Amino acid sequence: MNIETKCVQAGWQPHKGEPRELPIYQSTTFKYDTSEEMGKLFDLEAEGYFYTRLQNPTNDSVAAKICAMEGGVAAMLTSSGQAANFFAVFNICEAGDHLIASSSIYGGTYNLFGTTLKKMGIECTFVDQDLPEEELAKLFKPNTKVVFGETITNPTVSVFDIEKFARLAHSHGVPLIVDNTFATPVNCRPFEFGADIVTHSTTKYMDGHATAVGGCIVDSGNFDWLAHADKYPGLTTPDDSYHGIVYAERFGKAAYITKATSQLMRDLGAIQSPQHAYYLNIGLESLHLRMKKHCENALAVAKYLKNNENVAWVSYPDLEDDKYHELAKKYLPNGSCGVLAFGIKGGREESIKFMDSLKFITIVTHVADARSCILHPASHTHRQMTDEQLIEAGVAPDLIRLSVGIENADDIIADLAQAFEKI
Ligand SMILES: Cc1ncc(COP(=O)(O)O)c(C=O)c1O
């Protein structure tokens, strides 16, 4: 099946007489006839549902759809994108370990890795993702366990060179995790370029309507944990909390997701609600149509901004003269996403006046849904920082993040134009 068909048809496969539309299994528990049957589930000896914190049929159908779209072997839904990235890393890192992450990743993930994981004894080195391979290779340590980046970074819309980082990670015996939130599997499938694990904030384009916070982790099944057994004892040595199961031996290609479900979800409990999974599935059904429209509109808006005398600079990888256009042609040949960044001449004050003058493009702390929206990190998410601190964090003080929606492009441009007239 092509990606468009997978968006619509993958996942829920009803049998005779079952609902055609994915049902919401709004139940925390599942019934068994004997205690032996239930016991086998707890020993991971039999497959089945017993408690929604671990697994739920609605969630599993949606995870299976995203898994098919990414071309993976196993997937799980989480309560948020933050939970997905936390679980994805924590599933293979423990106190004393080290990871390498692009410094251009979403601020929330930056905090998670730089502050919270640090408190748990996991150290992160943030790197300039555009450095040459030889420079990046020097940053690996004997305790490095994973490499992390975003296909398209939030908010700087830089394109991550997946093949370069996959080569680096694999030559050091570690997997590459790629957060594919902005591109979505419609525009890029990181497994095709060597990534091992993909994560998503499904809150964004996948849901697409700003209705439900959620996340997803997909495993390609390609990383050979047993070949690097000393690095990943959690997958390659007995788990005492499951009667000595060795995940990589028992579950093969499904080991990583099985461990994340049966250990991390069991103990940390960041499950997506089945109701949210249902909304997510509806969003996924039109993802291919929306991504096309987001990209068409964003390119039209980027070209308009590029020729606007009030605008100092524009970043959008689909523009032919963009710094990341060559990478975009390779990884995102059908378009990147609807998000772009630009700066207004004059800095913070002019930016605020401009944004306050917009009519239907609204100021929201959100990105990547059907409605066009805008955010100025220096005035909003990063407002406590000085210009110097912003630059250090990789966010230009004049950077405005515009998430171009699926309205009519002429109307979006008209709204921008009337706001420019006010400054
Ligand atoms: C690229 C990326 N990853 C992860 C997240 C976190 O996702 P969530 O807000 O669903 O927790 C975000 C949120 O903006 C994001 O943009």
Side-chain angles (χ1 to χ4, degrees):
M1 285 195 282
N2 289 295
I3 190 75
E4 296 85 351
T5 312
K6 287 180 183 173
C7 284
V8 183
Q9 295 286 352
W12 174 244
Q13 304 296 329
H15 299 293
K16 191 170 128 190
E18 287 184 340
R20 179 63 193 95
E21 168 64 345
L22 170 68
I24 307 172
Y25 283 82
Q26 194 65 48
S27 179
T28 58
T29 54
F30 301 83
K31 175 193 172 279
Y32 289 91
D33 290 335
T34 67
S35 49
E36 196 194 344
E37 279 174 344
M38 180 76 99
K40 281 188 177 160
L41 297 174
F42 275 98
D43 283 346
L44 301 184
E45 278 176 11
E47 277 190 30
Y49 296 99
F50 51 108
Y51 192 57
T52 284
R53 169 154 43 79
L54 286 114
Q55 277 184 305
N56 174 286
T58 307
N59 290 22
D60 282 0
S61 290
V62 182
K65 175 177 279 192
I66 297 173
C67 188
M69 289 166 66
E70 286 288 4
V73 296
M76 68 193 282
L77 297 188
T78 57
S79 56
S80 65
Q82 285 300 105
N85 283 330
F86 173 51
F87 279 21
V89 169
F90 197 57
N91 203 29
I92 44 175
C93 285
E94 55 190 47
D97 287 345
H98 170 253
L99 74 143
I100 292 175
S102 159
S103 59
S104 308
I105 54 175
Y106 165 62
T109 317
Y110 192 97
N111 281 338
L112 167 66
F113 292 172
T115 307
T116 301
L117 287 188
K118 194 172 174 184
K119 287 185 194 155
M120 301 170 84
I122 299 166
E123 185 207 355
C124 181
T125 301
F126 292 103
V127 301
D128 173 352
Q129 64 181 35
D130 298 331
L131 281 177
E133 221 159 317
E134 317 80 74
E135 291 296 312
L136 292 164
K138 290 180 197 156
L139 303 170
F140 282 79
K141 303 179 185 188
N143 61 341
T144 304
K145 297 293 168 72
V146 65
V147 177
F148 184 98
E150 289 171 5
T151 314
I152 306 169
T153 62
N154 177 8
T156 50
V157 286
S158 311
V159 180
F160 186 67
D161 191 342
I162 302 171
E163 280 186 352
K164 175 176 84 174
F165 278 92
R167 253 192 326 271
L168 274 162
H170 297 159
S171 64
H172 291 85
V174 305
L176 172 64
I177 301 178
V178 173
D179 179 331
N180 197 30
T181 297
F182 271 21
T184 83
V186 170
N187 282 346
C188 179
R189 289 173 294 282
F191 295 155
E192 293 172 5
F193 301 101
D196 301 285
I197 292 146
V198 157
T199 58
H200 283 281
S201 165
T202 60
T203 320
K204 307 295 174 328
Y205 287 120
M206 284 190 165
D207 169 272
H209 302 79
T211 49
V213 173
C216 184
I217 308 174
V218 190
D219 184 12
S220 66
N222 291 335
F223 194 80
D224 187 349
W225 307 105
L226 287 168
H228 306 282
D230 54 323
K231 279 194 201 293
Y232 304 103
L235 280 154
T236 58
T237 60
D239 176 0
D240 292 337
S241 69
Y242 270 117
H243 308 300
I245 276 177
V246 177
Y247 291 98
E249 286 173 2
R250 174 76 78 89
F251 299 103
K253 282 184 180 293
Y256 174 89
I257 292 292
T258 306
K259 176 178 179 290
T261 301
S262 51
Q263 250 183 17
L264 299 187
M265 206 52 100
R266 178 195 64 189
D267 298 347
L268 301 170
I271 195 75
Q272 188 168 133
S273 88
Q275 184 90 34
H276 280 195
Y278 174 81
Y279 295 142
L280 171 57
N281 188 53
I282 293 178
L284 288 168
E285 288 181 359
S286 62
L287 183 66
H288 57 299
L289 300 174
R290 288 185 286 107
M291 288 313 290
K292 198 162 176 270
K293 184 71 176 158
H294 279 294
C295 293
E296 272 171 26
N297 281 358
L299 185 59
V301 170
K303 285 181 177 164
Y304 160 77
L305 290 172
K306 197 90 192 161
N307 293 317
N308 189 303
E309 58 180 17
N310 299 293
V311 174
W313 57 272
V314 182
S315 281
Y316 185 61
D318 299 11
L319 286 175
E320 278 177 15
D321 60 350
D322 191 82
K323 183 178 170 194
Y324 294 100
H325 190 61
E326 284 309 307
L327 287 176
K329 277 203 292 191
K330 174 173 179 177
Y331 295 115
L332 303 148
N334 300 321
S336 56
C337 65
V339 183
L340 55 85
F342 68 101
I344 290 182
K345 289 176 190 163
R348 283 192 199 215
E349 259 183 42
E350 298 300 320
S351 303
I352 291 166
K353 217 187 288 174
F354 167 77
M355 289 192 304
D356 288 352
S357 308
L358 289 165
K359 298 264 199 280
F360 73 80
I361 302 175
T362 43
I363 302 171
V364 294
T365 309
H366 189 54
V367 68
D369 80 75
R371 286 161 291 260
S372 291
C373 60
I374 200 157
L375 185 97
H376 180 218
S379 313
H380 304 137
T381 45
H382 299 58
R383 65 179 291 124
Q384 282 80 15
M385 292 187 178
T386 62
D387 284 3
E388 290 70 33
Q389 286 171 324
L390 282 168
I391 291 163
E392 226 171 274
V395 179
D398 64 347
L399 183 147
I400 292 178
R401 184 184 70 189
L402 175 61
S403 177
V404 180
I406 56 172
E407 304 93 344
N408 181 293
D410 292 342
D411 291 338
I412 299 170
I413 290 169
D415 197 8
L416 296 169
Q418 65 78 29
F420 277 122
E421 277 168 22
K422 308 280 170 23
I423 62 173

